[in-house]
Amino acid sequence: MALSFREALGSCLAAIPPGRVTTCGLVARTLGDVRAARSVATWILEHPDIPGAHRVVRADGRPVAPSAAGGLAREGVRLRGGRVAESRFLESLSGAAVLEDLRETQRRLAQRVEEVDDGKELGTFGGVDVAYAGDRAFAVAVRLDARTLETIETCERAVDVDFPYIPTYLAFREYPAVRAALEGLRERPDLLFVDGHGRLHPALFGFACYAGVQLDLPTVGIAKHPLAGKLVPSAPRMLGAIPVEMDGVVRGFAWTPPRASRPFYVSVGHRISLERALREAQRSTRTRYPEPLLVADRITKEERDKKNTERSASG
DNA sequence: GCGACAG
DNA sequence: ATCTTGTCGC
């Protein structure tokens, strides 16, 4: 059965015997992917009450939790120079490899991605983005007129998140909030822009693909930073954009808008061709980033700050 | 071969 | 993404 991140981490920590410690890297490998090491540390820092959290250390032996010294001392573990001796480190750990399961889910769903579109005119562009305040996610979905780029409608939803940010697993953190916001729109957009990569992903299944397949909606992935693939500046440009290849296949483009200082990355999410994804991304851009994502990003931060103010005002 | 890695 | 001081440019 599928375990949540929280439960899987809990079972990992419960498997560390008193008097021993484990590195973030080993916890991450046990969860199924070493690239989650930093996320494990962040999660423990932000959830200091997790049982066993005091037994997690960095590679150099420094405990992750600032208050770990007391719990370790009660188990006979002394800190020397703020570090736990390597002789205390566990070499292996048992636990549920949830990230392996999620990667398998990505690979399976990746086969459903359709990289062709129906060629129809697009009346509206959608955009989704999420801001965070601790475990609270503030998601916004917007729908814009594709010709004028004027905002037609917006929808905000706040939901609790229970999955950390882990590179290449972004969808599992953001999708629930994004879906909730999209469901509140009166009409679905003809094409949805997602803040994150599409097929430019190690499993060819970034957040934009995940959202597209789950929603059965045409999507385009837009990202500010590279994740997978390599730029090929020597290759012929497409509409002024530099191809990004993975294993010799062009999976995306890096495009710098006319007055912008840096490029953004475009790739297919679902139900669209790569060339058209680039063309629509360019058509939707007025300044430095596709307008639907700028609008969603702005509202998302306004909502978060508004809710935070209300919360502190009411005690 | 290994580490880094969207938001 | 968020945090956060200082710094730069319009």
Side-chain angles (χ1 to χ4, degrees):
Chain A
M1 87 157 241
L3 230 58
S4 73
F5 178 86
R6 183 190 306 273
E7 292 165 330
L9 178 61
S11 71
C12 271
L13 300 193
I16 312 172
R20 306 299 298 277
V21 298
T22 298
T23 62
C24 298
L26 178 56
V27 173
R29 286 200 301 279
T30 305
L31 294 176
D33 196 327
V34 70
R35 76 189 88 200
R38 197 172 293 175
S39 308
V40 167
T42 303
W43 186 269
I44 286 173
L45 279 168
E46 293 179 355
H47 304 82
D49 296 334
I50 298 175
H54 62 288
R55 300 187 190 121
V56 180
V57 300
R58 297 167 216 269
D60 64 4
R62 283 152 48 228
V64 170
S67 60
L72 289 170
R74 279 194 291 280
E75 298 169 5
V77 178
R78 295 275 157 205
L79 295 182
R80 302 183 80 87
R83 300 174 185 199
V84 175
E86 262 189 62
S87 57
R88 300 278 188 180
F89 288 24
L90 282 184
E91 306 209 336
S92 66
L93 195 61
S94 71
V98 283
L99 298 179
E100 279 182 9
D101 294 345
L102 295 179
R103 183 67 92 223
E104 184 51 38
T105 297
Q106 290 174 332
R107 295 193 195 286
R108 177 169 45 80
L109 293 177
Q111 297 171 5
R112 291 202 213 165
V113 171
E114 298 171 17
E115 296 198 69
V116 291
D117 58 80
D118 57 17
K120 286 185 189 159
E121 272 305 298
L122 302 175
T124 64
F125 288 146
V128 283
D129 197 15
V130 186
Y132 294 90
D135 287 340
R136 198 75 173 152
F138 298 86
V140 171
V142 302
R143 197 159 57 88
L144 275 57
D145 185 299
R147 191 174 54 82
T148 65
L149 298 182
E150 292 302 303
T151 301
I152 298 168
E153 62 169 327
T154 71
C155 177
E156 314 86 40
R157 290 286 186 274
V159 311
D160 288 321
V161 296
D162 69 341
F163 195 94
Y165 169 69
I166 303 171
T168 74
Y169 301 89
L170 175 65
F172 301 105
R173 175 170 174 80
E174 299 216 333
Y175 180 69
V178 157
R179 182 189 52 199
L182 278 166
E183 282 173 350
L185 291 178
R186 284 185 288 105
E187 288 182 32
R188 301 203 331 160
D190 294 327
L191 176 65
L192 178 68
F193 289 97
V194 175
D195 212 338
H197 291 286
R199 301 221 89 185
L200 277 177
H201 178 278
L204 297 178
F205 201 70
F207 182 26
C209 299
Y210 188 95
V213 168
Q214 294 291 338
L215 297 160
D216 190 23
L217 197 66
T219 57
V220 170
I222 304 287
K224 300 171 196 71
H225 302 285
L227 175 68
K230 73 174 204 293
L231 266 76
V232 189
S234 59
R237 307 247 166 149
M238 163 82 76
L239 301 171
I242 298 172
V244 184
E245 289 187 358
M246 292 178 65
D247 297 325
V249 180
V250 177
R251 297 290 186 182
F253 289 100
W255 183 62
T256 305
R259 276 151 300 175
S261 57
R262 54 193 183 87
F264 63 73
Y265 297 80
V266 183
S267 59
V268 168
H270 186 44
R271 289 175 53 185
I272 194 166
S273 69
L274 177 55
E275 180 179 352
R276 186 152 195 214
L278 173 61
R279 206 164 57 239
E280 300 300 343
Q282 294 180 330
R283 178 154 84 104
S284 74
T285 300
R286 279 207 295 228
T287 56
R288 61 185 169 84
Y289 213 56
E291 205 62 19
L293 294 177
L294 289 182
V295 173
D297 176 76
R298 179 175 49 77
I299 301 173
T300 227
K301 292 178 169 69
E302 287 171 359
E303 287 299 311
R304 179 195 60 194
D305 297 342
K306 194 163 77 187
K307 291 289 172 15
N308 275 351
T309 305
E310 285 169 12
R311 201 161 56 95
S312 55
S314 62

